[in-house]
Amino acid sequence: MDPDKSIGENLRKLNKSIYIKRDQSIGGLTFSQSIPIIETLNETDVLVLYFGTSVGWPRISRKLEGHLRPELLASTAFHLPVFKSKKLINRIKAKIRHMERNILKFLLFPFGLYRPRHSLEDLPSLISAIEHLAERKSHLIIWVQHNSLGYRRLWLERKIYNRYYKEILNCLQKHRSPHFRILTPESSFLIQENYLLDGVHLSEIGHQRVAEIIYNEIQTAMAEAQKFLAESGQ
């Protein structure tokens, strides 16, 4: 994604007075990997944490990474759409590679070699750790939990991811407060034009719309804070 089309840049376009201290994007980041990164952040007025789908989607076990071809290890290889070449022979080869990946998933899953990096039992403690650390960095935290269309994934993968996604939201609800806000895509957002062809990563217009959602949430939080101060006479 072009840096000029990122969520951070889209926030700047919505309000030129917004000063973003740090705009960092790390692909494939898990909850546990985010903790030392959040630790390095300076204190700020608003802290936006945007977590993708890396937590719930199954991944090849590290035990097998040295025994598989590179194209089977790429983090995007398991959800990219089949490349539609103009040549029939190339389309056939692409379809075969796609089928090969899917067969591999089914073969590895029963042996625990194709699973999410985190277990469901770890999610509550990881989310609590992130929330506790984030509170030391800002008085207003906005946690955005990304969701994908998932239509290019296998039924098995979607079932696993949905379990994780629901558990993440359940854990987050326990921490929800006026200064710890949770944003998730509504059903109206889950349409193709907001995503790239893989159905996972946001498109240019998807980034714009997420920025608008975040900006509106910040405005709402500030209005509520001002109202509270006015009513309390401070």
Side-chain angles (χ1 to χ4, degrees):
M1 171 58 65
D2 186 337
D4 292 335
K5 300 175 183 177
S6 68
I7 292 175
E9 284 302 317
N10 277 291
L11 281 170
R12 289 190 183 99
K13 292 176 183 178
L14 290 170
N15 189 333
K16 300 295 184 181
S17 65
I18 290 179
Y19 172 67
I20 298 180
K21 290 184 178 180
R22 185 169 173 179
D23 184 2
Q24 185 173 6
S25 176
I26 302 176
L29 191 69
T30 62
F31 287 161
S32 58
Q33 292 170 336
S34 73
I35 292 176
I37 296 174
I38 297 174
E39 182 66 52
T40 66
L41 299 177
N42 296 322
E43 292 185 11
T44 182
D45 294 329
V46 181
L47 176 59
V48 179
L49 302 174
Y50 191 108
F51 285 101
T53 60
S54 303
V55 177
W57 287 127
R59 296 180 62 183
I60 289 286
S61 169
R62 293 187 177 92
K63 298 177 183 179
L64 293 181
E65 289 183 348
H67 305 282
L68 296 175
R69 300 197 309 274
E71 62 266 27
L72 295 180
L73 292 176
S75 60
T76 56
F78 287 89
H79 60 254
L80 283 177
V82 177
F83 175 68
K84 294 183 179 179
S85 172
K86 294 181 179 180
K87 295 182 179 181
L88 177 61
I89 185 64
N90 290 338
R91 293 202 301 271
I92 293 175
K93 289 181 179 179
K95 186 65 175 179
I96 291 174
R97 289 195 296 270
H98 187 68
M99 292 175 63
E100 182 183 26
R101 295 186 188 110
N102 288 341
I103 292 173
L104 180 63
K105 298 173 189 178
F106 280 115
L107 291 176
L108 295 179
F109 180 77
F111 299 99
L113 299 175
Y114 185 59
R115 295 291 180 93
R117 287 289 190 244
H118 294 311
S119 68
L120 284 169
E121 291 74 18
D122 292 336
L123 293 181
S125 59
L126 286 170
I127 289 174
S128 294
I130 294 172
E131 188 263 350
H132 178 71
L133 184 58
E135 283 188 334
R136 291 162 46 192
K137 304 296 181 178
S138 178
H139 294 297
L140 176 58
I141 304 153
I142 297 177
W143 182 308
V144 186
Q145 188 60 50
H146 180 72
N147 199 357
S148 70
L149 299 180
Y151 65 92
R152 293 191 181 275
R153 291 279 194 162
L154 294 173
W155 170 84
L156 174 64
E157 295 172 301
R158 294 198 301 270
K159 182 177 180 180
I160 294 173
Y161 178 74
N162 287 336
R163 285 185 63 197
Y164 273 75
Y165 189 74
K166 291 177 181 178
E167 181 62 24
I168 291 171
L169 296 187
N170 288 336
C171 293
L172 287 173
Q173 291 300 328
K174 299 175 183 178
H175 298 278
R176 183 187 288 273
S177 69
H179 68 275
F180 187 83
R181 295 170 174 264
I182 303 158
L183 296 178
T184 58
E186 296 182 356
S187 56
S188 59
F189 184 88
L190 301 176
I191 55 177
Q192 181 59 65
E193 67 178 15
N194 288 330
Y195 295 84
L196 299 180
L197 290 178
D198 61 8
V200 175
H201 299 91
L202 293 175
S203 63
E204 182 177 341
I205 191 171
H207 279 85
Q208 294 174 4
R209 288 171 175 169
V210 168
E212 291 172 0
I213 293 171
I214 294 173
Y215 179 72
N216 290 337
E217 190 68 21
I218 293 174
Q219 294 297 101
T220 299
M222 294 178 63
E224 290 177 358
Q226 292 174 353
K227 181 180 178 180
F228 173 79
L229 292 175
E231 292 177 349
S232 60
Q234 298 183 25

